[in-house]
Amino acid sequence: MSTPLQSKLEILADAAKYDASCASSGAKPRNSIAGTGVGSAGGAGICHSYAPDGRCISLLKVLLTNVCLYDCHYCINRRSSNVRRARFTPEEVVKLTLDFYKRNYIEGLFLSSGIVRDADYTMELVVRVAKLLREEHDFRGYIHLKTIPEASQHLIEEAGRYADRISINVELPTEESIKKLAPEKDLRRTQQAMAGIRSRIEESNEDRSARKPRYANGQSTQMIVGADTSDDSAILTRSNHLYTSYKLRRVYYSAFSPIPDSSAILPSVSPPLIREHRLYQADWLLRFYGFEVGEITPKDGADAGKLDLDIDPKLAWALRNRHRFPINIGRAPLDELYRIPGLGVRNAKRIVSARRYSALRLEDLVKMRVNIKKCLPFIITSDHQPSRLGLDSDRLRAQFQPKAKQLEFEFGSAKESARTGQV
Amino acid sequence: MRTVSIDPGFDSWREKARDLILAKVPPEEIAWNDSSNSEDSLFADLESINEQKGNFSAPRAFVDFAQLVACHRNPDRWARLYSVLYRIKIGGDRDLLKKHTDHEIHTLEMMAKAVRRDRHKMKAFVRFRKVGETADTKREQFVAWFEPDHHIVELTAPFFVKRFTGMDWSILTPEKSIHWDGEELHVTDGVDKSQAPTEDALDDLWRGYYKSIFNPARLKVKAMQAEMPKKYWKNLPEAPLIQELIQAASTRRDAMVAAEATIPTPVPKNAYIQSLHTLKDAPQLSEIPLDPGDQSLSAMAKVAATCRACPLWENATQTVFGEGPENARLMIVGEQPGDTEDLQGKPFVGPAGQLLNECLAAAGIDRSAAYLTNAVKHFKWKPSPAGAGRKRRLHESPDQFEVSACKPWLQAEIARIAPNTIILLGATAARAVIRPDFKITKERGLIEQSQLAPRVIATVHPSYLLRLPDVERRKQEALQFVQDLKLAVS
């Protein structure tokens, strides 16, 4: 038996699932000890369940309504789609969030909405949900609000007062693509809204007074991969720009996925999941491994601007830059260790710590669970010296290439690697 | 060999371990016994060997670490912990915990990791079921059933207290149960699963959500199972759906790919949507009309917002046009907006702007009566070098091309304001309106440029002061700067 609330929830969760973000981490630490309700946040996020698509379920991710005036061709909720429509009242979302939270199904709420009437009207409704949760119910769990770049600055600001994270989807990497596929959106306006959010977050962070009003401490965005013809270099360049200019916490990449009712401008295709995975790996190289955006994809040749789908981007970089190897694990500075394929940030730091006490052998790296197979041709340890011949060999790449059949299985580790960034 | 009996808990081990370390008992002479039903060993007369109770402290990092390892179900944990503590305290190896390649440390790290994971999964997969509600206070009661791998229930209890303070709850497990009544946490014995409720009215809604949030076009079963292993499924209300969702996924995906696409509908006659389109379809300027004509400043600013006469627009957030009253008698021209100005869309609001404010005040000039602008209206920057921390945007001076591309805007502003006095801050501003080889250091102060304004002053840019590393020098230069500003009101 399906109740009206149940079918609404199903429609509005279905409408929200193309947003990849599920983060519930990094909030300012707080709990409900001195409060009147429930909720805590801060530290690492918790994934309360996983769907068979490998994505974690951490937040109640719904739209307030999937009625929408916009006609973004990649979106299931665009105005010309024939999808079933539904609309929650703010009170319904509040109750669902609390009921789910108390059963420990979720960490909190991720609320977004189709645009009804205009951006401000919609934004007010979204903000109202968060306000009710915080003020009426003293809810101290995690709230992520999707904001609308066309909405007034003061409403975006208000959203930030109730939310832990606010986000605006840039959707596509270039102005031309946005013009073509999201006729109501505008890259400049989106970036201006992100600039406003960054200013407000920094202002709040600089305010050291004890009674300062709470404010979101992060913003993120999402880019759809494979809906337009932008290459990986264009996508990473946009990400790098957004990270640098607006201090985003995360850029999420979402492989353009078939939707139940697709637009004639953008027919359904199978989602480019491996490409999405490689972009996450490349994104990690940008943020944590000290790579410049121009290093990550080949500059020229047939594959210029494209990530290698068969092997991870760090390995691909190493194969293009063999003269930088082998690297001596016992001596190389940290930023050089970061360049070694198969060695993550965490292990690189542990190596620096451990080598102070004893010379490192291969078995020590095995203990640290370093991906030895990947590292081996590129490193020197106290008991291993790779052959220069091997490093120069044409066969080195073939050694890492997945056998045709295995590609599918590689998917399994994609999420994990995307999450941890261990590449 | 001596047998040491403890309660199976960290505190009990710690107490005994302290005595043993004080007595310098080597690890290989101890057999740890933590089963509560065993008889006390005849040799476990520790007190007798340890008359003089001393004091010692283990490093904080060890205590935190040991507390985790103590939760592991492996019976060897007590001996392994003691051995490491012995090496730290008696062996004097203070850095032992940092030696990740040490065999013992590695083993303990693996155990701590398993415990951390188990705790994390408990926080994730406990499912409360509502069993009642107090009529007058509306306070709700919940019960959950969980089967941890390790002895983590008590260590993890504070998390649930802090999160679910506002409701009453019990978490039942085979080994121990914990209960919260709003004031105190109670620990009782473990119970059988049959004691726990199996359904909740909300479970159907939750399953509906789970089913709908799943995207059948991207099946990644292995990724799901890596994080949510099958052993947890039996206590998760959503788990029974997994098999059917997987089975139907490919059919659903194929149907979506095969389905006929929908033709987009025309833009509706909605005023809001029309306004978005008008804004978006506004022409982007690649050339600036040289003559501002009779445009107001605000009209000019609107057009300037679309300016693409040089490539700087691309990496900037927005055009930062001048700001101030149309009838201002004083005009101040800087170089270009910085990071803060770019974000806020206003000139002189960043650190250099703040310093300018202070110096203007010191010179007795009212900023709000002046018109402030820049020679170049977009922020030119380069990213800080890759490496530690987040990248920042570093100021880069505009080149000759960019300055001349932007010059028509500055000229239009000067023509519109027709100020009495113009203060040019820094070389870029002076070079833009006077001549390309103008040298601030040689020519600062009042300069004769009557075609610009009756009185023109050239001086340094406040960011120059900010960059001076020497405090004394900075003070001197600031005084000189204020002197220059005063020329505007003398």
Side-chain angles (χ1 to χ4, degrees):
Chain A
M1 251 299 283
S2 178
T3 64
L5 182 66
Q6 175 124 21
S7 53
K8 265 202 236 185
L9 173 63
E10 290 179 10
I11 292 171
L12 293 169
D14 196 71
K17 71 178 160 210
Y18 301 97
D19 232 306
S21 167
C22 68
S24 56
S25 57
K28 286 171 195 157
R30 59 169 186 273
N31 59 57
S32 51
I33 285 287
T36 56
V38 294
S40 62
I46 299 171
C47 301
H48 287 269
S49 192
Y50 282 81
D53 51 18
R55 281 181 163 169
C56 94
I57 300 176
S58 165
L59 303 169
L60 170 62
K61 194 191 294 180
V62 287
L63 298 197
L64 196 52
T65 175
N66 64 340
V67 176
C68 192
L69 280 169
Y70 290 10
D71 210 23
C72 308
H73 296 291
Y74 47 80
C75 181
I76 177 66
N77 305 309
R78 69 190 185 285
R79 64 168 183 263
S80 53
S81 152
N82 293 314
V83 74
R84 279 194 302 161
R85 310 280 175 173
R87 188 171 184 165
F88 275 134
T89 64
E91 287 74 14
E92 282 172 327
V93 180
V94 167
K95 186 161 183 340
L96 261 178
T97 306
L98 292 171
D99 282 345
F100 275 19
Y101 196 87
K102 287 173 183 170
R103 282 150 185 86
N104 204 35
Y105 299 154
I106 53 168
E107 286 290 289
L109 174 68
F110 179 0
L111 188 64
S112 178
S113 183
I115 314 291
V116 276
R117 203 173 302 175
D118 59 39
D120 278 0
Y121 175 79
T122 311
M123 201 64 228
E124 273 168 25
L125 288 176
V126 167
V127 169
R128 190 176 146 71
V129 173
K131 186 176 177 170
L132 283 172
L133 277 169
R134 294 285 192 229
E135 293 184 352
E136 300 277 308
H137 299 277
D138 196 15
F139 175 67
R140 301 185 182 189
Y142 194 88
I143 297 180
H144 178 162
L145 296 181
K146 172 64 53 66
T147 55
I148 307 161
E150 295 78 35
S152 304
Q153 188 71 37
H154 77 272
L155 286 170
I156 297 182
E157 199 163 292
E158 204 185 344
R161 283 207 291 276
Y162 302 114
D164 295 287
R165 168 155 313 175
I166 40 188
S167 61
I168 297 178
N169 282 358
V170 64
E171 310 289 14
L172 297 158
T174 66
E175 199 169 32
E176 300 73 58
S177 296
I178 293 175
K179 234 180 194 136
K180 186 168 163 237
L181 297 180
E184 280 80 28
K185 297 201 179 193
D186 177 70
L187 179 62
R188 318 296 300 168
R189 197 163 41 211
T190 298
Q191 293 192 154
Q192 279 171 30
M194 288 176 172
I197 294 171
R198 180 192 144 189
S199 295
R200 193 64 190 79
I201 289 174
E202 285 178 352
E203 218 172 89
S204 165
N205 287 344
E206 278 160 22
D207 184 353
R208 297 257 169 259
S209 64
R211 285 167 169 270
K212 72 167 180 183
R214 66 180 306 282
Y215 202 78
N217 62 349
Q219 64 167 326
S220 59
T221 195
Q222 170 168 297
M223 251 188 277
I224 298 163
V225 179
D228 65 342
T229 54
S230 301
D231 64 11
D232 299 308
S233 165
I235 291 173
L236 293 169
T237 301
R238 177 62 55 197
S239 296
N240 195 43
H241 177 78
L242 297 179
Y243 283 128
T244 312
S245 293
Y246 310 118
K247 308 279 187 265
L248 266 63
R249 284 285 179 93
R250 285 288 300 272
V251 175
Y252 290 91
Y253 304 93
S254 181
F256 176 59
S257 166
I259 47 179
D261 183 32
S262 65
S263 159
I265 292 182
L266 211 59
S268 279
V269 286
S270 276
L273 295 182
I274 297 189
R275 188 176 171 207
E276 175 193 284
H277 172 49
R278 298 291 178 224
L279 279 166
Y280 274 115
Q281 291 178 317
D283 184 271
W284 246 267
L285 294 183
L286 271 182
R287 287 188 296 147
F288 303 117
Y289 289 75
F291 279 69
E292 299 285 0
V293 72
E295 294 179 292
I296 295 176
T297 53
K299 282 197 178 59
D300 33 43
D303 294 323
K306 282 192 212 142
L307 290 169
D308 194 322
L309 295 183
D310 289 345
I311 55 176
D312 75 69
K314 200 208 269 188
L315 178 58
W317 174 86
L319 291 173
R320 288 197 302 274
N321 293 277
R322 300 180 190 204
H323 60 280
R324 307 257 310 240
F325 296 95
I327 287 175
N328 189 331
I329 290 282
R331 279 205 305 268
L334 190 60
D335 57 348
E336 261 182 62
L337 294 181
Y338 285 166
R339 299 267 163 172
I340 300 172
L343 189 64
V345 163
R346 205 173 109 86
N347 272 329
K349 287 184 178 154
R350 296 176 89 195
I351 283 172
V352 170
S353 160
R355 72 188 179 189
R356 260 182 272 158
Y357 307 104
S358 60
L360 297 181
R361 294 154 304 169
L362 283 181
E363 65 171 287
D364 295 326
L365 300 185
V366 174
K367 269 187 206 154
M368 293 183 189
R369 299 201 172 182
V370 168
N371 185 339
I372 292 290
K373 194 175 155 243
K374 215 179 253 186
C375 277
L376 214 52
F378 302 101
I379 57 168
I380 296 171
T381 62
S382 62
D383 60 347
H384 164 77
Q385 176 93 34
S387 72
R388 187 69 242 177
L389 236 67
L391 202 47
D392 290 338
S393 154
D394 292 340
R395 288 207 302 267
L396 187 55
R397 189 178 190 285
Q399 190 181 322
F400 294 108
Q401 211 138 5
K403 291 167 197 76
K405 281 278 175 194
Q406 272 180 354
L407 258 173
E408 211 174 323
F409 292 103
E410 272 227 321
F411 272 15
S413 61
K415 167 80 188 196
E416 172 65 10
S417 175
R419 199 171 58 76
T420 61
Q422 304 285 319
V423 291
Chain B
M1 177 68 77
R2 87 176 76 236
T3 300
V4 178
S5 294
I6 55 167
D7 301 334
F10 176 70
D11 291 337
S12 173
W13 173 84
R14 173 147 84 163
E15 212 170 287
K16 291 283 163 65
R18 178 187 291 139
D19 294 342
L20 291 162
I21 290 286
L22 285 170
K24 297 199 166 92
V25 182
E28 54 276 14
E29 289 179 18
I30 308 169
W32 293 88
N33 180 357
D34 70 354
S35 55
S36 39
N37 54 359
S38 71
E39 284 172 41
D40 249 18
S41 158
L42 292 171
F43 308 102
D45 51 345
L46 203 62
E47 275 69 21
S48 65
I49 60 151
N50 188 27
E51 301 287 80
Q52 75 296 4
K53 278 213 171 182
N55 242 340
F56 89 86
S57 60
R60 182 77 225 166
F62 175 80
V63 175
D64 291 343
F65 182 61
Q67 225 165 342
L68 278 179
V69 175
C71 295
H72 201 279
R73 64 160 181 258
N74 186 336
D76 288 350
R77 64 194 184 281
W78 307 121
R80 290 180 186 276
L81 280 173
Y82 184 76
S83 169
V84 165
L85 183 63
Y86 188 87
R87 287 171 65 193
I88 294 174
K89 299 300 296 184
I90 308 296
D93 195 347
R94 302 288 300 180
D95 288 335
L96 184 55
L97 286 184
K98 292 183 200 148
K99 297 179 181 171
H100 307 295
T101 55
D102 179 273
H103 179 69
E104 276 190 317
I105 293 300
H106 175 66
T107 311
L108 290 185
E109 276 177 357
M110 289 294 115
M111 289 166 78
K113 194 174 170 187
V115 170
R116 259 187 232 112
R117 184 176 161 91
D118 198 31
R119 295 186 68 199
H120 189 75
K121 295 301 177 196
M122 179 177 176
K123 293 172 189 174
F125 298 143
V126 153
R127 292 286 183 267
F128 284 116
R129 273 145 183 164
K130 190 169 166 178
V131 292
E133 187 171 327
T134 314
D136 51 342
T137 61
K138 297 266 176 218
R139 198 176 167 87
E140 296 164 292
Q141 284 84 43
F142 294 86
V143 176
W145 169 255
F146 191 70
E147 296 167 46
D149 286 343
H150 302 283
H151 311 292
I152 56 164
V153 175
E154 280 174 280
L155 193 64
T156 316
F159 168 83
F160 289 96
V161 171
K162 286 179 193 161
R163 172 160 288 196
F164 299 106
T165 319
M167 62 194 220
D168 298 338
W169 50 263
S170 296
I171 299 174
L172 313 177
T173 84
E175 192 181 272
K176 255 174 196 163
S177 300
I178 48 175
H179 316 268
W180 172 252
D181 59 8
E183 273 163 19
E184 246 182 294
L185 184 79
H186 302 276
V187 182
T188 59
D189 289 343
V191 297
D192 187 75
K193 189 177 177 176
S194 60
Q195 306 284 303
T198 53
E199 262 300 325
D200 184 291
L202 258 287
D203 281 350
D204 270 340
L205 265 181
W206 171 241
R207 278 188 282 264
Y209 175 71
Y210 183 82
K211 200 169 67 184
S212 310
I213 203 71
F214 163 62
N215 183 351
R218 30 185 315 151
L219 201 60
K220 287 186 183 180
V221 179
K222 268 176 76 180
M224 169 187 66
Q225 285 194 22
E227 295 297 333
M228 195 167 80
K230 275 189 168 163
K231 67 177 177 193
Y232 294 108
W233 291 14
K234 61 178 184 290
N235 293 321
L236 294 172
E238 64 272 28
L241 296 174
I242 293 173
Q243 280 316 324
E244 52 180 285
L245 288 177
I246 294 173
Q247 273 156 20
S250 59
T251 324
R252 287 172 69 192
R253 185 199 57 208
D254 293 347
M256 287 192 281
V257 174
E260 210 168 308
T262 308
I263 307 293
T265 52
V267 179
K269 288 201 176 16
N270 170 301
Y272 172 66
I273 291 299
Q274 304 274 359
S275 77
L276 293 179
H277 280 266
T278 316
L279 207 68
K280 190 165 182 171
D281 298 338
Q284 303 295 337
L285 277 191
S286 53
E287 240 172 82
I288 308 165
L290 260 173
D291 179 14
D294 52 2
Q295 288 189 42
S296 69
L297 283 170
S298 61
M300 260 193 252
K302 224 172 180 176
V303 184
T306 65
C307 184
R308 296 185 173 187
C310 79
L312 289 187
W313 67 272
E314 181 118 44
N315 286 323
T317 304
Q318 53 200 325
T319 305
V320 180
F321 206 69
E323 198 183 63
E326 199 129 347
N327 60 0
R329 299 326 301 138
L330 171 64
M331 183 163 170
I332 300 174
V333 185
E335 183 193 63
Q336 64 159 347
D339 186 64
T340 316
E341 287 81 7
D342 174 76
L343 297 178
Q344 296 185 18
K346 293 176 174 165
F348 290 104
V349 288
Q354 274 159 27
L355 182 59
L356 177 67
N357 289 349
E358 287 166 28
C359 295
L360 284 174
I365 297 169
D366 176 12
R367 169 169 168 163
S368 66
Y371 183 87
L372 285 88
T373 191
N374 283 299
V376 170
K377 307 285 195 269
H378 276 119
F379 178 30
K380 184 176 184 182
W381 58 275
K382 56 172 188 260
S384 58
R390 285 190 197 173
K391 285 186 192 152
R392 289 176 302 123
R393 303 194 288 183
L394 301 179
H395 164 274
E396 217 178 356
S397 291
D399 64 27
Q400 194 54 46
F401 171 74
E402 289 143 0
V403 173
S404 44
C406 214
K407 192 172 169 182
W409 291 121
L410 181 58
Q411 285 173 325
E413 285 172 298
I414 295 173
R416 169 62 46 205
I417 301 275
N420 237 344
T421 307
I422 295 179
I423 303 177
L424 302 166
L425 301 176
T428 304
R431 287 171 190 168
V433 291
I434 300 172
R435 52 171 209 281
D437 60 348
F438 189 90
K439 291 247 186 323
I440 292 282
T441 42
K442 289 191 180 146
E443 305 175 63
R444 72 189 287 173
L446 273 178
I447 45 175
E448 190 56 45
Q449 288 289 326
S450 52
Q451 82 287 2
L452 287 175
R455 189 192 307 224
V456 177
I457 300 154
T459 184
V460 296
H461 194 280
S463 64
Y464 161 73
L465 305 178
L466 291 175
R467 281 196 302 269
L468 289 173
D470 183 60
V471 184
E472 269 313 304
R473 175 88 195 283
R474 197 194 292 184
K475 267 189 200 156
Q476 272 176 16
E477 286 288 331
L479 281 176
Q480 181 61 46
F481 180 55
V482 172
Q483 288 307 319
D484 288 343
L485 295 179
K486 275 183 180 164
L487 294 172
V489 282
S490 61

